[in-house]
Protein backbone atom coordinates (compact mmCIF):
# COMPACT_ATOMS: atom_id res chain seq x y z
CA UNK A 1 0.00 0.00 0.00
CA UNK A 2 2.87 2.38 0.76
CA UNK A 3 4.27 1.85 -2.74
CA UNK A 4 0.98 2.89 -4.32
CA UNK A 5 0.86 5.97 -2.08
CA UNK A 6 4.44 6.84 -3.01
CA UNK A 7 3.58 6.75 -6.72
CA UNK A 8 0.45 8.81 -6.06
CA UNK A 9 2.43 11.45 -4.16
CA UNK A 10 5.06 11.53 -6.91
CA UNK A 11 2.35 11.92 -9.56
CA UNK A 12 0.73 14.76 -7.63
CA UNK A 13 4.05 16.54 -7.17
CA UNK A 14 4.94 16.19 -10.84
CA UNK A 15 1.48 17.37 -11.96
CA UNK A 16 1.75 20.34 -9.57
CA UNK A 17 5.15 21.38 -10.92
CA UNK A 18 3.90 20.98 -14.50
CA UNK A 19 0.85 23.14 -13.81
CA UNK A 20 2.89 25.79 -12.01
CA UNK A 21 5.24 26.12 -14.99
CA UNK A 22 2.38 26.96 -17.41
CA UNK A 23 1.83 30.53 -18.56
CA UNK A 24 -1.77 30.81 -17.38
CA UNK A 25 -2.18 32.16 -13.90
CA UNK A 26 -5.26 29.96 -13.31
CA UNK A 27 -3.12 26.88 -13.96
CA UNK A 28 -0.61 28.28 -11.48
CA UNK A 29 -3.29 28.26 -8.77
CA UNK A 30 -4.37 24.72 -9.70
CA UNK A 31 -0.71 23.68 -9.39
CA UNK A 32 -0.55 25.34 -5.99
CA UNK A 33 -3.57 23.34 -4.81
CA UNK A 34 -2.06 20.10 -6.14
CA UNK A 35 1.23 20.88 -4.42
CA UNK A 36 -0.53 21.45 -1.11
CA UNK A 37 -2.48 18.18 -1.44
CA UNK A 38 0.67 16.28 -2.38
CA UNK A 39 2.49 17.58 0.71
CA UNK A 40 -0.45 16.59 2.93
CA UNK A 41 -0.58 13.11 1.42
CA UNK A 42 3.18 12.76 1.89
CA UNK A 43 2.84 13.57 5.60
CA UNK A 44 -0.06 11.15 5.89
CA UNK A 45 1.90 8.36 4.20
CA UNK A 46 5.06 8.91 6.25
CA UNK A 47 3.08 8.64 9.49
CA UNK A 48 2.23 5.07 8.63
CA UNK A 49 -0.87 3.53 7.13
CA UNK A 50 -2.13 1.50 10.03
CA UNK A 51 -5.50 1.46 11.72
CA UNK A 52 -5.31 2.29 15.37
CA UNK A 53 -7.46 3.42 18.20
CA UNK A 54 -7.60 7.09 19.17
CA UNK A 55 -4.63 7.98 21.39
CA UNK A 56 -6.67 8.26 24.58
CA UNK A 57 -5.23 7.26 27.95
CA UNK A 58 -7.63 5.20 30.09
CA UNK A 59 -8.33 6.34 33.62
CA UNK A 60 -5.61 5.16 36.00
CA UNK A 61 -3.14 4.27 33.18
CA UNK A 62 0.04 6.11 32.24
CA UNK A 63 -0.07 5.38 28.52
CA UNK A 64 -2.59 4.25 25.89
CA UNK A 65 -3.12 0.53 25.54
CA UNK A 66 -2.84 -1.30 22.24
CA UNK A 67 -2.06 0.15 18.81
CA UNK A 68 -2.92 3.85 18.58
CA UNK A 69 -2.88 6.32 15.72
CA UNK A 70 -0.13 8.95 15.60
CA UNK A 71 -1.70 12.27 16.69
CA UNK A 72 1.28 14.38 15.60
CA UNK A 73 0.86 13.58 11.92
CA UNK A 74 -2.87 14.25 12.13
CA UNK A 75 -2.25 17.63 13.77
CA UNK A 76 0.36 18.56 11.15
CA UNK A 77 -1.95 17.62 8.28
CA UNK A 78 -4.89 19.55 9.73
CA UNK A 79 -2.67 22.60 10.19
CA UNK A 80 -1.35 22.26 6.64
CA UNK A 81 -4.90 22.04 5.26
CA UNK A 82 -5.90 25.27 7.00
CA UNK A 83 -2.75 27.09 5.88
CA UNK A 84 -3.17 25.78 2.33
CA UNK A 85 -6.75 27.01 2.21
CA UNK A 86 -5.66 30.45 3.42
CA UNK A 87 -2.93 30.66 0.79
CA UNK A 88 -5.39 29.54 -1.88
CA UNK A 89 -7.95 32.17 -0.87
CA UNK A 90 -5.27 34.89 -0.93
CA UNK A 91 -4.00 33.73 -4.33
CA UNK A 92 -7.50 33.71 -5.83
CA UNK A 93 -8.19 37.26 -4.62
CA UNK A 94 -4.79 38.44 -5.85
CA UNK A 95 -5.30 36.83 -9.25
CA UNK A 96 -8.79 38.29 -9.56
CA UNK A 97 -7.43 41.78 -8.89
CA UNK A 98 -4.55 41.29 -11.31
CA UNK A 99 -6.98 40.14 -14.00
CA UNK A 100 -9.13 43.24 -13.45
CA UNK A 101 -6.11 45.49 -13.95
CA UNK A 102 -4.35 43.70 -16.82
CA UNK A 103 -7.37 42.03 -18.52
CA UNK A 104 -5.33 38.89 -19.24
CA UNK A 105 -4.37 35.72 -17.41
CA UNK A 106 -1.15 35.15 -19.36
CA UNK A 107 1.98 35.63 -17.26
CA UNK A 108 3.91 37.12 -20.19
CA UNK A 109 1.28 39.82 -20.72
CA UNK A 110 1.32 40.60 -17.01
CA UNK A 111 5.09 41.00 -17.13
CA UNK A 112 4.78 43.63 -19.88
CA UNK A 113 2.81 45.93 -17.56
CA UNK A 114 5.84 46.56 -15.31
CA UNK A 115 7.07 50.14 -15.36
Amino acid sequence: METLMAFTVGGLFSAAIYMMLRRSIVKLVIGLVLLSNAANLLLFTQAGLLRGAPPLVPKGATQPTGVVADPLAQALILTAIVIGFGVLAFAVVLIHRAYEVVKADDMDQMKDTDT
Side-chain angles (χ1 to χ4, degrees), residues 46-59:
Q46 289 300 316
L49 299 175
L50 62 111
R51 289 185 183 257
L56 301 174
V57 180
K59 195 174 232 181

Side-chain angles (χ1 to χ4, degrees), residues 75-89:
L76 286 174
I77 292 169
L78 285 173
T79 305
I81 289 170
V82 171
I83 291 171
F85 183 72
V87 169
L88 174 65

